[in-house]
């Protein structure tokens, strides 16, 4: 539900999977919104047409406008692929919009066999197997310059500053998603959340 923003709390755009004529992928948005009522959440499926329909002209422009107007972006990866979510995430990062990226536990593999206490911050992936389909995005967000320069690069390619650009967490349950968003919003925007 798009509400009127307040001056005291941030406006957060939610990016995630959307399917035509199905609100089944909106559960996480509703859960976060209900538990963090002080924050104004903008869910694209509430504002206009269903992204999965036949006529999609204007959807990208309207989503980008909403991201540009937001104080922050929360992106939730629950399946593979999520091209729209990735484009929205990269746009937010490119425009220096504070961004929290959540990966469902089914999409990542812990580096050890130990039980993970979610929500868990995800570090840059050293090996592909820790996040087979998403390691590149995770490393882009977290920065991976620690191991840069180990391959032979032509001299005409200048170094890229692989610095952290956002926050990345693994989540397993709805409670993990709510906690990760609440902690991030509190830290990022210096707000007191109940």
């Amino acid at each position: 539900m798009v509400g009127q923003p307040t001056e005291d709390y941030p406006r957060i755009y939610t990016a995630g999977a959307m399917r035509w004529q199905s609100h089944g992928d909106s559960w996480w948005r509703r859960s976060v919104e209900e538990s963090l009522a002080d924050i104004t959440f903008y869910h694209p499926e509430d504002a206009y047409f269903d992204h999965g329909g036949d006529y999609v002209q204007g959807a990208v422009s309207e989503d980008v406008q909403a991201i540009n107007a937001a104080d922050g972006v929360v992106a939730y990866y629950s399946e593979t692929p999520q091209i729209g979510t990735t484009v929205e995430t990269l746009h937010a990062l490119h425009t220096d919009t504070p961004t929290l990226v959540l990966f469902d536990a089914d999409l990542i593999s812990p580096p050890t066999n130990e039980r993970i206490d979610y929500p868990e911050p995800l570090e840059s992936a050293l090996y592909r197997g820790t996040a087979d389909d998403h390691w590149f995005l995770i490393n882009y967000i977290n920065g991976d310059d620690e191991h840069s320069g180990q391959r032979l690069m032509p001299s005409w390619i200048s170094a890229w500053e692989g610095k952290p650009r956002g926050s990345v967490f693994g989540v397993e349950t709805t409670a993990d998603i709510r906690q990760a968003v609440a902690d991030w919003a509190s830290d990022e925007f210096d707000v007191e959340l109940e």
Side-chain angles (χ1 to χ4, degrees):
M1 171 80 68
V2 178
Q4 289 296 338
T6 68
E7 293 181 22
D8 299 328
Y9 293 96
R11 297 164 299 183
I12 305 295
Y13 178 89
T14 58
M18 293 176 65
R19 296 289 167 255
W20 187 33
Q21 298 178 339
S22 169
H23 292 285
D25 41 39
S26 296
W27 61 268
W28 73 273
R29 290 178 168 101
R30 303 294 165 234
S31 173
V32 169
E33 182 176 57
E34 290 167 7
S35 65
L36 301 172
D38 291 332
I39 294 177
T40 301
F41 287 95
Y42 180 80
H43 313 300
E45 73 267 21
D46 288 344
Y48 41 92
F49 58 87
D50 198 332
H51 284 57
D54 291 331
Y55 182 74
V56 295
Q57 185 66 35
V60 174
S61 295
E62 290 171 354
D63 287 357
V64 167
Q65 289 170 16
I67 292 167
N68 290 344
D71 298 310
V73 171
V74 173
Y76 175 55
Y77 285 83
S78 57
E79 60 188 52
T80 299
Q82 284 181 233
I83 304 303
T85 306
T86 301
V87 170
E88 292 170 338
T89 300
L90 292 174
H91 179 76
L93 294 168
H94 181 71
T95 58
D96 294 324
T97 302
T99 305
L100 171 64
V101 181
L102 305 172
F103 286 93
D104 189 271
D106 291 340
L107 300 179
I108 55 175
S109 299
T112 65
N113 289 331
E114 297 176 16
R115 170 79 177 120
I116 301 295
D117 186 26
Y118 292 104
E120 174 73 17
L122 298 180
E123 297 179 3
S124 292
L126 186 57
Y127 300 102
R128 176 185 302 268
T130 57
D132 199 34
D133 294 314
H134 302 287
W135 66 268
F136 200 94
L137 179 61
I138 292 168
N139 286 12
Y140 177 81
I141 297 167
N142 283 333
D144 70 348
D145 64 348
E146 181 181 336
H147 297 282
S148 180
Q150 295 178 358
R151 294 169 186 82
L152 297 177
M153 299 291 288
S155 60
W156 54 268
I157 297 178
S158 59
W160 177 69
E161 185 181 335
K163 65 178 183 173
R165 290 165 160 58
S167 301
V168 185
F169 279 78
V171 293
E172 189 172 42
T173 66
T174 305
D176 297 337
I177 295 171
R178 287 192 301 258
Q179 181 183 344
V181 173
D183 292 348
W184 170 79
S186 180
D187 291 344
E188 188 68 43
F189 302 105
D190 196 31
V191 294
E192 295 288 328
L193 299 171
E194 297 178 17

